[in-house]
Amino acid sequence: MTRIAIIGGGPAGYEAATVAADLGAEVSLIESDGMGGACVLYDCVPSKTLIATSERVTAFRDAPELGVSSLSVDDVSINLGVVNDRVRRLAVNQSKDIHDRLVRAGVAIFAGRGRFAKEQRGRTYAVEVLDGVGAVLGDVEADVVLLATGGHPRVLAAAEPDGERILSWRDVYHLTDLPEHLIVVGSGVTGAEFASAYTEMGVPVTLVSSRDKVLPGEDPDAADVIESVFTGRGGVLMKHARARSVSKNADGVEVKLADGRTVAGSHVLMCVGSVPNTAGLGLEHIGIVADDRGYIQVDRVSRTAVPGVYAAGDSTGVMLLASVAAMQGRVAMWHSMGEAVQPLRLKTVSANVFTHPEIATVGLGHAAVSTDGMPARTVMLPLAGNARAKMQGLSDGFVKLFCRPATGVVMGGSVVAPAASELILPIAMAVQRGLTVSELAGTFTVYPSLSGSITEAARRLMHRDDLN
């Protein structure tokens, strides 16, 4: 029986454990915080639960446009203490569900941190289990090891979170009252999501961005929509503004910018990236060297440079998404157990930004076409022209498709709309299966529906006269 040790219980770790147990391996999983890791306990699950509350507020705010004139955002009262109690409760319950599923599958779970022992044992690996202060509780012997340790919020030395006024994305779920004025530092995905959510809940928000556009990694047309909606709701966007330090005062906080300007607010949320959890793993004991950013390098089947040692998730720096982490973990186990496996294909990965509206993307898109010079035919249909969108009072957003000029094969696409995370699936399937725009256009959609814009975009791409 193959003995597998997994360090880290996030999406990469628990999905890998499930696969390995199903294949008959003896699986040991080491996790310090709880099953699901940071993703379930502090990041994806809590943040999207909080965002679900903001979506309800948005529905009330926009109700007058649909003729429900007795309701307005002024009638909505948000009890943030109740909201965050629910956020934390759902996270804990989700973690327990994962724990129970692994136990039923026969996975041995160890509470603590894992690291490679200094003294290794020939052809097998010795992995120590440590408590919170670094004392060794025991060890696990394994033929195969998966490193799935995730990451943690990056901290600026001059803006260290205190959990009260200066917050990281792990701290916000302990607030009991809405901030009087929230400053969000960082305009990447995490910063944009929180800025959008709190703005929709009626909180004055200032978003500090070091770039000339929010969401610099996304389609610029999509970023323009998010900026427009955010500022239209009363949010303040400060571009080319790099935070240098944060200090507390009697009234709240003050953020000092590199150009000398200051921003005052009641709270500041620091969203300045993440750091991989690769320190203290004893990598030097088996000959693995992390790169200069701390990431563990892997190939497309999650192998490290050391035989029998795999890595998956945020510790590898490969598209920091829960879905990618989970697939890396599964692929690692399939490969280690001798199963047929398809190497990871990043161009088929769909991703979503949970702002209002959402941004969903898949495949090769704007960056490949504009920066890499990838030949493509493109069409973009504004959401305002969709019949269902008109009925729902939706005007912000679009559907964009890219296809290869010669064959019409769908290369990728973007959707900016409410529930874009659901609408991206047909485009993702088209990219995954190599479908042409003709095949996508010939698919029946419900009328009226937002998904109808996807097949309409495909029909536009079938006719060269309509192409740009």
Side-chain angles (χ1 to χ4, degrees):
M1 180 180 292
T2 302
R3 297 167 299 176
I4 296 177
I6 299 173
I7 304 177
Y14 72 73
E15 287 291 343
T18 301
V19 168
D22 287 345
L23 292 174
E26 179 184 299
V27 184
S28 300
L29 192 155
I30 306 167
E31 167 60 42
S32 59
D33 292 341
M35 288 303 102
C39 175
V40 169
L41 292 168
Y42 312 117
D43 190 3
C44 293
V45 170
S47 65
K48 279 47 177 182
T49 306
L50 177 70
I51 288 167
T53 296
S54 74
E55 291 171 348
R56 296 299 187 271
V57 179
T58 300
F60 276 96
R61 175 184 282 118
D62 295 339
E65 297 180 17
L66 280 70
V68 189
S69 57
S70 62
L71 298 177
S72 71
V73 71
D74 296 329
D75 299 314
V76 180
S77 176
I78 299 173
N79 187 325
L80 192 62
V82 173
V83 171
N84 281 335
D85 281 345
R86 177 174 181 266
V87 167
R88 296 192 302 271
R89 185 172 64 255
L90 286 176
V92 170
N93 289 343
Q94 180 70 6
S95 177
K96 183 179 183 301
D97 288 346
I98 295 168
H99 179 279
D100 293 347
R101 175 158 60 98
L102 293 177
V103 170
R104 288 194 299 270
V107 176
I109 297 175
F110 296 85
R113 296 185 298 108
R115 76 175 178 197
F116 288 103
K118 186 174 183 180
E119 300 296 331
Q120 292 296 311
R121 302 166 184 169
R123 301 180 65 179
T124 63
Y125 293 102
V127 178
E128 296 175 330
V129 181
L130 313 176
D131 66 10
V133 295
V136 178
L137 300 175
D139 64 13
V140 174
E141 190 167 334
D143 306 300
V144 174
V145 178
L146 173 67
L147 302 171
T149 49
H152 61 275
R154 178 172 170 252
V155 174
L156 300 182
E160 190 168 345
D162 64 359
E164 297 178 357
R165 295 284 182 175
I166 306 173
L167 310 170
S168 75
W169 43 258
R170 287 192 173 194
D171 301 319
V172 293
Y173 311 112
H174 296 282
L175 295 177
T176 56
D177 297 302
L178 288 172
E180 295 177 8
H181 178 186
L182 178 65
I183 304 169
V184 178
V185 176
S187 60
V189 172
T190 302
E193 288 184 345
F194 278 113
S196 174
Y198 277 101
T199 299
E200 294 299 314
M201 288 191 285
V203 174
V205 176
T206 298
L207 179 58
V208 177
S209 172
S210 62
R211 308 292 188 90
D212 62 349
K213 187 179 289 292
V214 300
L215 297 167
E218 300 297 323
D219 186 314
D221 291 324
D224 286 343
V225 172
I226 300 307
E227 285 188 15
S228 176
V229 173
F230 174 69
T231 56
R233 296 294 202 199
V236 176
L237 177 58
M238 299 183 68
K239 299 182 180 181
H240 300 289
R242 187 176 296 276
R244 174 170 290 173
S245 65
V246 178
S247 59
K248 293 194 295 184
N249 53 47
D251 299 320
V253 296
E254 183 178 76
V255 178
K256 293 183 179 180
L257 307 180
D259 60 9
R261 290 179 293 169
T262 61
V263 189
S266 64
H267 298 74
V268 61
L269 174 58
M270 304 300 296
C271 300
V272 289
S274 63
V275 179
N277 295 328
T278 52
L281 290 177
L283 299 180
E284 67 278 9
H285 299 154
I286 61 166
I288 290 180
V289 178
D291 68 15
D292 56 1
R293 297 180 300 164
Y295 292 114
I296 300 170
Q297 299 299 299
V298 294
D299 63 14
R300 292 174 62 203
V301 292
S302 304
R303 290 179 297 189
T304 68
V306 175
V309 180
Y310 296 75
D314 288 5
S315 61
T316 68
V318 179
M319 289 188 77
L320 308 186
L321 299 171
S323 58
V324 173
M327 186 58 73
Q328 284 182 295
R330 297 184 199 107
V331 167
M333 294 300 97
W334 287 325
H335 187 271
S336 69
M337 296 290 288
E339 297 290 308
V341 60
Q342 180 177 348
L344 193 67
R345 297 176 61 205
L346 294 181
K347 73 175 184 178
T348 65
V349 174
S350 53
N352 199 73
V353 183
F354 289 85
T355 46
H356 176 76
E358 295 179 6
I359 302 172
T361 55
V362 67
L364 300 175
H366 179 88
V369 173
S370 62
T371 305
D372 300 338
M374 182 76 67
R377 290 154 48 189
T378 308
V379 68
M380 185 171 79
L381 296 183
L383 201 64
N386 178 283
R388 184 69 183 278
K390 293 176 183 178
M391 298 169 192
Q392 294 178 326
L394 305 175
S395 58
D396 300 304
F398 59 81
V399 170
K400 183 185 288 189
L401 279 183
F402 301 88
C403 76
R404 298 193 181 279
T407 63
V409 170
V410 178
M411 299 167 56
S414 302
V415 178
V416 180
S421 50
E422 310 294 341
L423 293 169
I424 198 65
L425 180 60
I427 304 177
M429 293 179 68
V431 172
Q432 176 78 26
R433 304 303 300 172
L435 302 182
T436 65
V437 290
S438 298
E439 291 170 318
L440 187 56
T443 304
F444 282 98
T445 55
V446 172
Y447 181 86
S449 67
L450 297 183
S451 59
S453 287
I454 297 173
T455 52
E456 175 60 24
R459 283 190 288 273
R460 298 283 184 93
L461 282 174
M462 291 173 60
H463 304 290
R464 293 185 179 274
D465 290 343
D466 292 334
L467 305 179
N468 47 15

